[in-house]
């Protein structure tokens, strides 16, 4: 029975003079499982099936990482310290853009009512909401750029601001990877 080594735990080098705790396997026993995998001829159908299973396992691992925030298995677009800072920066505060969908529903309902005055108010609300989102997005991008520059001067920052702004458009409970910081907490 092999002891499970966690990737987060560093492996301690074994003293060369210490006994290893198990007998040395015979050559044919050690080579057996490797040889059957390598030498077994695979049909195209079996190869496609193995690839599909491997892809499913990878996607399941990614979904789990998106839910838990495990950095090792996140998709490439979400990996790295700069992206993590951008996520935490957005998740730590309220933004106007995250309330866009509920406000849009209210404005649409107002625009469908028969009163001409309510229709005009809904048009004005559209303009105000869009203007507030633009102003808020500019403020977020300026503050985030400054924070990224001072915290990670040598890291690749490409796309981090757009990533953060797209995250603000999602309601907090719908965001993936799940928020790791509470509102008001410093990222």
């Amino acid at each position: 029975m092999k002891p499970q080594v966690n990737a987060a735990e560093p492996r301690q080098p074994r003293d060369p003079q210490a006994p290893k705790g198990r007998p040395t396997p015979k050559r044919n026993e050690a080579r057996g499982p490797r040889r059957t995998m390598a030498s077994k001829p695979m049909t195209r159908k079996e190869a496609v099936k193995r690839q599909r299973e491997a892809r499913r396992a990878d996607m399941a691992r990614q979904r789990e990482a998106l839910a838990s925030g495990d950095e090792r298995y996140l998709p490439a677009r979400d990996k790295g310290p700069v992206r993590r800072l951008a996520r935490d920066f957005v998740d730590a505060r309220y933004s106007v853009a995250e309330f866009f969908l509920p406000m849009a529903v209210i404005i649409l309902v107002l625009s469908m009512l028969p009163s001409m005055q309510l229709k005009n108010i809904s048009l004005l609300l559209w303009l105000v909401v869009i203007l507030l989102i633009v102003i808020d997005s500019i403020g977020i991008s300026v503050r985030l750029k400054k924070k990224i520059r001072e915290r990670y001067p040598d890291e690749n920052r490409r796309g981090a601001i757009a990533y953060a702004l797209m995250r603000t458009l999602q309601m907090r409970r719908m965001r993936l990877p799940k928020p790791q910081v509470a509102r008001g907490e410093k990222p």
Side-chain angles (χ1 to χ4, degrees):
M1 185 174 238
K2 262 186 177 174
Q4 293 290 330
V5 177
N6 193 352
E9 297 174 11
R11 283 185 66 183
Q12 295 292 328
R14 189 176 68 79
D15 179 23
Q17 301 300 319
K20 64 184 171 199
R22 60 181 168 77
T24 303
K26 300 228 184 291
R27 180 175 288 177
N28 60 358
E29 291 171 2
R31 206 183 316 166
R34 284 193 314 244
R35 186 174 278 174
T36 58
M37 288 296 285
S39 66
K40 191 187 284 187
M42 245 194 312
T43 64
R44 185 178 176 278
K45 195 174 183 181
E46 288 174 352
V48 168
K49 185 177 178 182
R50 279 192 189 166
Q51 282 179 337
R52 190 180 311 123
E53 288 172 1
R55 198 175 324 117
R56 279 187 187 145
D58 288 343
M59 293 302 288
R61 216 174 319 137
Q62 274 188 2
R63 272 193 304 276
E64 190 176 306
L66 285 171
S68 67
D70 187 3
E71 191 81 23
R72 293 175 295 174
Y73 302 115
L74 285 175
R77 69 157 200 254
D78 297 317
K79 279 187 179 178
V82 174
R83 297 294 171 109
R84 181 172 194 81
L85 175 64
R87 281 194 307 270
D88 292 346
F89 187 85
V90 167
D91 294 339
R93 64 191 73 236
Y94 286 99
S95 66
V96 177
E98 72 183 277
F99 300 108
F100 173 73
L101 284 176
M103 286 188 286
V105 170
I106 292 169
I107 293 171
L108 282 174
V109 168
L110 282 176
S111 69
M112 288 191 289
L113 294 175
S115 170
M116 196 58 161
Q117 192 174 15
L118 287 177
K119 287 182 182 185
N120 288 338
I121 290 172
S122 71
L123 268 174
L124 186 63
L125 279 175
W126 271 122
L127 290 173
V128 168
V129 166
I130 290 172
L131 187 66
L132 285 174
I133 289 173
V134 168
I135 291 169
D136 190 39
S137 297
I138 291 170
I140 287 173
S141 62
V142 167
R143 289 190 308 264
L144 183 58
K145 272 183 195 175
K146 182 181 174 188
K147 189 165 219 127
I148 290 173
R149 255 189 263 119
E150 59 184 50
R151 197 172 293 177
Y152 301 109
D154 300 332
E155 290 284 331
N156 182 9
R157 300 184 291 257
R158 187 167 181 221
I161 303 301
Y163 175 76
L165 292 178
M166 289 304 293
R167 192 165 174 89
T168 62
L169 287 171
Q170 301 164 346
M171 290 188 293
R172 184 177 168 90
R173 70 173 65 125
M174 306 294 245
R175 293 177 184 165
L176 288 176
K178 295 287 184 195
Q180 301 292 312
V181 294
R183 293 220 198 245
E185 199 176 311
K186 296 269 185 185

